[in-house]
Amino acid sequence: MQQIEICFSPELIHLYDLRGKIVVVVDIFRATSTMVAALANGITEIKTCADLDECRTMASQGYLIAGERNGIKAEGFQLGNSPLAYLTGEYEGNQLAMTTTNGTLAISKSSGADEILIGAFPNLQATVSYIQSRKKDVLIHCAGWKGKFNLEDSLYAGALVKALETSHEAEDDGAIAMKSLYEKEGHDLKGFLSQASHAKRLQNHNIDSDIDFCITLDLFTLVGKVENETLIAVENW
Amino acid sequence: MQQIEICFSPELIHLYDLRGKIVVVVDIFRATSTMVAALANGITEIKTCADLDECRTMASQGYLIAGERNGIKAEGFQLGNSPLAYLTGEYEGNQLAMTTTNGTLAISKSSGADEILIGAFPNLQATVSYIQSRKKDVLIHCAGWKGKFNLEDSLYAGALVKALETSHEAEDDGAIAMKSLYEKEGHDLKGFLSQASHAKRLQNHNIDSDIDFCITLDLFTLVGKVENETLIAVENW
């Protein structure tokens, strides 16, 4: 058996040894869900940017630019952080530059890992299948909310621990706890997450349909992977 | 309703505003359980020390000294970190100086709170009753394990959120998650915690009876409270 563990915040990632591991970065509402949706709908690559200014400079290089701060589309950006914007195929063939409040930070802080994947419910089973083909230990790196534990990222982590239980043993207490929580609450993610602080924030932005998308399982069969600081789709492994 | 939230690690406590709140510091295996056991069995006050050397200097001032590192009694100390040592009443009337790996750090990092309590299962209901008499928001500060989330502290936090649900609303995602987890696993704490990394470490030290004590509910009716950097028992409120 390989091992699997969970880091609940980028502020704790320095406590973990990433070497030799697959790190799965997760920011369910909405960065990593949007990334997966974009890759599954023809975006050829995604550059994650540390801030809005860096992202803006990518526009001159032909990139579409997507950015939000605190859940709202940033001024001068073509796209915000809604996964639904990509589903029509309108942006097929484009490169995308993207910055988000928490997700980008978690990706940049995952450097040093053997491989970095992007986790989301809409491609959970594909991610499971990819990981099981690799025979490596896994660390799930939750983007959290301003450094704190958040419910949607942690529940995804629990779902991934559960789905990998035949190949990966829960190595730390976080993995044990979140697997158990997902077993209890996973049948009604929407109901349970509606209590979450972040879901309440999102409700204020009228993006209930975004939430529905972000917690839908297995719409896509690709894996999102960071290679050379660029996020790409992997479709065969 | 007041609010209740959970900080899972002393490494995240800077993200929280402690002002006006009751902070409940919890280090179930075994620091705060041992503190409660000591206070309930005649120890008049407990000084928490940052390190073993500071603790040693207290011996010359007439204090009993208790210290462990990584679960084992430190050299030259009268007591380790077993709560059972106090149950005979042998140390009644003594002052105690104590240092532990994680618990002491969490207490010192809780300064700035309106009140600091020590949480443990053996006086859970007393702590609930005290808090409900105070009409203040609550932050549960888990000592964790070397900065990481741990299962026993988090489950205590869930138990406290659950027990306070008539007076305190779960303010953050951690409180929502741990309340749900406690609802699922609280009926068999020992079985669930036996999977935990820390419990496995403790098993190596042959302290199964310590674990039994630390997860027993409501043996004592006092509250452990830090006043002027000294931990004392509060028996009436």
Side-chain angles (χ1 to χ4, degrees):
Chain A
M1 295 276 274
Q2 313 308 136
Q3 308 284 327
I4 188 164
E5 59 194 334
I6 302 174
C7 173
F8 290 109
S9 163
E11 298 227 9
L12 299 177
I13 195 68
H14 63 281
L15 301 172
Y16 295 82
D17 185 0
L18 309 185
R19 288 173 299 178
K21 292 178 185 162
I22 298 177
V23 171
V24 182
V25 175
V26 53
D27 184 4
I28 294 299
F29 294 154
R30 295 168 285 167
T32 56
S33 304
T34 298
M35 290 168 180
V36 166
L39 291 172
N41 287 278
I43 293 288
T44 56
E45 63 170 59
I46 303 174
K47 292 273 189 200
T48 58
C49 301
D51 54 41
L52 294 172
D53 286 341
E54 183 187 336
C55 208
R56 279 193 190 93
T57 67
M58 300 297 287
S60 62
Q61 297 175 45
Y63 282 75
L64 286 171
I65 58 172
E68 57 90 18
R69 280 296 177 269
N70 299 315
I72 299 170
K73 184 169 88 165
E75 201 181 324
F77 278 64
Q78 293 150 304
L79 290 147
N81 197 14
S82 172
L84 305 181
Y86 301 89
L87 300 188
T88 60
E90 183 180 349
Y91 301 107
E92 197 176 329
N94 281 278
Q95 298 165 303
L96 181 69
M98 187 172 174
T99 181
T100 72
T101 314
N102 304 292
T104 307
L105 178 69
I107 293 172
S108 69
K109 282 193 161 190
S110 298
S111 66
D114 212 48
E115 302 185 43
I116 302 172
L117 305 182
I118 299 302
F121 283 109
N123 73 338
L124 175 67
Q125 190 51 48
T127 301
V128 167
S129 167
Y130 178 89
I131 288 170
Q132 289 182 326
S133 76
R134 309 296 280 169
K135 315 286 183 209
K136 293 176 187 171
D137 292 340
V138 172
L139 171 67
I140 306 167
H141 184 179
C142 297
W145 181 256
K146 298 185 179 178
K148 296 180 181 178
F149 175 99
N150 91 20
L151 202 51
E152 61 275 14
D153 298 348
S154 305
L155 277 170
Y156 172 87
L160 188 56
V161 172
K162 176 81 179 158
L164 286 167
E165 66 184 344
T166 59
S167 58
H168 289 69
E169 184 184 20
E171 157 71 4
D172 68 353
D173 285 1
I176 294 165
M178 290 308 117
K179 181 182 165 210
S180 176
L181 188 66
Y182 186 77
E183 287 169 351
K184 180 177 177 217
E185 307 289 359
H187 69 284
D188 179 22
L189 278 180
K190 186 158 193 188
F192 187 57
L193 286 171
S194 67
Q195 305 170 63
S197 55
H198 200 165
K200 287 178 191 160
R201 277 190 296 276
L202 292 183
Q203 280 162 10
N204 296 336
H205 300 311
N206 277 322
I207 50 172
D208 199 50
S209 50
D210 277 16
I211 295 181
D212 286 343
F213 175 85
C214 292
I215 60 176
T216 302
L217 281 161
D218 300 328
L219 298 168
F220 310 122
T221 56
L222 60 84
V223 168
K225 185 175 179 184
V226 179
E227 292 205 336
N228 302 321
E229 300 183 358
T230 303
L231 179 61
I232 57 166
V234 177
E235 309 211 38
N236 299 291
W237 50 83
Chain B
M1 295 275 276
Q2 314 307 134
Q3 307 283 327
I4 187 164
E5 59 193 335
I6 302 173
C7 172
F8 290 111
S9 162
E11 299 227 8
L12 299 176
I13 195 69
H14 63 281
L15 300 172
Y16 296 81
D17 185 359
L18 309 186
R19 288 173 299 177
K21 292 178 186 163
I22 298 176
V23 172
V24 182
V25 175
V26 53
D27 184 3
I28 296 297
F29 293 155
R30 293 167 286 168
T32 55
S33 304
T34 298
M35 290 167 179
V36 167
L39 291 172
N41 288 278
I43 292 289
T44 56
E45 63 169 60
I46 302 174
K47 292 274 188 198
T48 58
C49 302
D51 55 40
L52 294 172
D53 285 343
E54 182 188 336
C55 210
R56 279 193 191 95
T57 66
M58 299 298 286
S60 62
Q61 297 175 46
Y63 282 75
L64 285 171
I65 59 172
E68 58 89 18
R69 278 298 176 268
N70 299 313
I72 298 169
K73 184 169 87 166
E75 203 181 322
F77 279 63
Q78 291 149 305
L79 290 147
N81 196 13
S82 172
L84 305 182
Y86 301 88
L87 302 188
T88 60
E90 182 181 350
Y91 301 108
E92 198 176 328
N94 280 279
Q95 298 165 303
L96 180 70
M98 188 173 172
T99 181
T100 72
T101 313
N102 305 292
T104 308
L105 178 69
I107 292 172
S108 68
K109 283 192 160 189
S110 297
S111 64
D114 211 48
E115 302 185 44
I116 303 173
L117 305 182
I118 299 302
F121 284 108
N123 73 336
L124 176 66
Q125 190 50 49
T127 300
V128 166
S129 167
Y130 178 90
I131 288 170
Q132 288 181 327
S133 77
R134 309 295 281 170
K135 314 287 182 209
K136 293 177 186 171
D137 292 340
V138 172
L139 170 67
I140 306 167
H141 184 178
C142 297
W145 181 255
K146 297 184 178 178
K148 297 180 181 178
F149 174 100
N150 90 22
L151 202 51
E152 62 275 14
D153 297 348
S154 305
L155 277 170
Y156 172 85
L160 188 56
V161 172
K162 176 81 180 157
L164 286 167
E165 66 185 343
T166 59
S167 58
H168 288 70
E169 185 185 19
E171 155 71 3
D172 67 352
D173 286 0
I176 294 165
M178 290 308 117
K179 180 182 165 210
S180 176
L181 189 65
Y182 186 76
E183 286 168 352
K184 180 177 177 218
E185 306 288 0
H187 69 284
D188 179 21
L189 278 181
K190 187 158 192 187
F192 187 57
L193 286 170
S194 68
Q195 305 170 62
S197 54
H198 201 165
K200 287 178 190 159
R201 278 191 296 276
L202 292 183
Q203 280 162 9
N204 296 336
H205 300 312
N206 277 322
I207 50 171
D208 199 49
S209 50
D210 277 16
I211 295 181
D212 287 343
F213 174 85
C214 292
I215 61 177
T216 302
L217 281 161
D218 299 329
L219 298 169
F220 310 122
T221 57
L222 61 84
V223 167
K225 185 173 179 188
V226 179
E227 292 206 336
N228 302 320
E229 299 184 358
T230 303
L231 179 62
I232 57 166
V234 177
E235 309 209 41
N236 298 292
W237 51 83

